[in-house]
């Protein structure tokens, strides 16, 4: 079963995207939903996030936990840090021929 085959999983994921990252997708936008799914990374700690992404090194003025959460770069869900890579998502949209990036 594909990720988007389960309506409960799909609706929960769409709600999470909108609430935590400000990304609004319609249920029929299955390609965009799959791309969004591929753009999520989950980390056990801030240190793991910093190490894996280089965020603290590349964005020293925007690397504090409060900043990252407030600006919807990270979401803390069930004790873990969820990162939505907007760059990966938007690059995927461009490769798919989408002219407007969500």
């Amino acid at each position: 079963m594909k990720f988007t085959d389960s309506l409960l999983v799909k609706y929960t994921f769409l709600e999470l995207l909108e609430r935590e990252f400000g990304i609004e997708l319609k249920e029929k936008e299955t390609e965009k939903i799959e791309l969004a799914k591929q753009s999520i990374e989950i980390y056990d700690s801030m240190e793991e996030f910093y190490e894996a992404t280089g965020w603290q090194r590349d964005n020293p003025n925007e690397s504090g936990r409060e900043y990252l959460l407030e600006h919807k770069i990270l979401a803390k869900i069930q004790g873990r840090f969820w990162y939505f890579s907007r760059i990966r998502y938007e690059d995927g949209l461009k490769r798919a021929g989408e002219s407007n990036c969500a």
Side-chain angles (χ1 to χ4, degrees):
M1 176 186 329
K2 285 179 54 179
F3 171 77
T4 53
D5 288 344
S6 168
L7 287 178
L8 178 60
V9 171
K10 183 191 287 188
Y11 286 123
T12 302
F13 184 68
L14 293 176
E15 176 65 28
L16 180 136
L17 280 177
E18 185 174 348
R19 183 183 66 238
E20 301 294 344
F21 300 107
I23 304 294
E24 294 181 44
L25 297 176
K26 304 289 185 232
E27 68 179 86
K28 294 183 181 189
E29 296 178 294
T30 55
E31 290 179 21
K32 287 183 180 182
I33 293 169
E34 288 294 326
L35 181 58
K37 179 183 157 237
Q38 296 168 15
S39 300
I40 296 273
E41 299 171 9
I42 302 172
Y43 299 99
D44 291 324
S45 68
M46 291 294 295
E47 292 75 25
E48 185 181 353
F49 165 74
Y50 291 141
E51 187 175 318
T53 64
W55 188 278
Q56 195 171 32
R57 178 191 67 241
D58 298 339
N59 306 287
N61 295 330
E62 293 125 2
S63 64
R65 177 182 170 153
E66 294 79 21
Y67 179 90
L68 294 169
L69 293 170
E70 181 180 321
H71 289 88
K72 297 186 180 256
I73 296 164
L74 285 180
K76 189 169 183 184
I77 302 170
Q78 295 183 339
R80 299 179 81 195
F81 294 93
W82 291 47
Y83 169 60
F84 181 80
S85 175
R86 293 178 194 281
I87 292 172
R88 184 180 305 144
Y89 180 71
E90 291 174 1
D91 285 349
L93 290 177
K94 289 175 189 172
R95 281 192 304 275
E98 295 289 338
S99 60
N100 58 348
C101 296

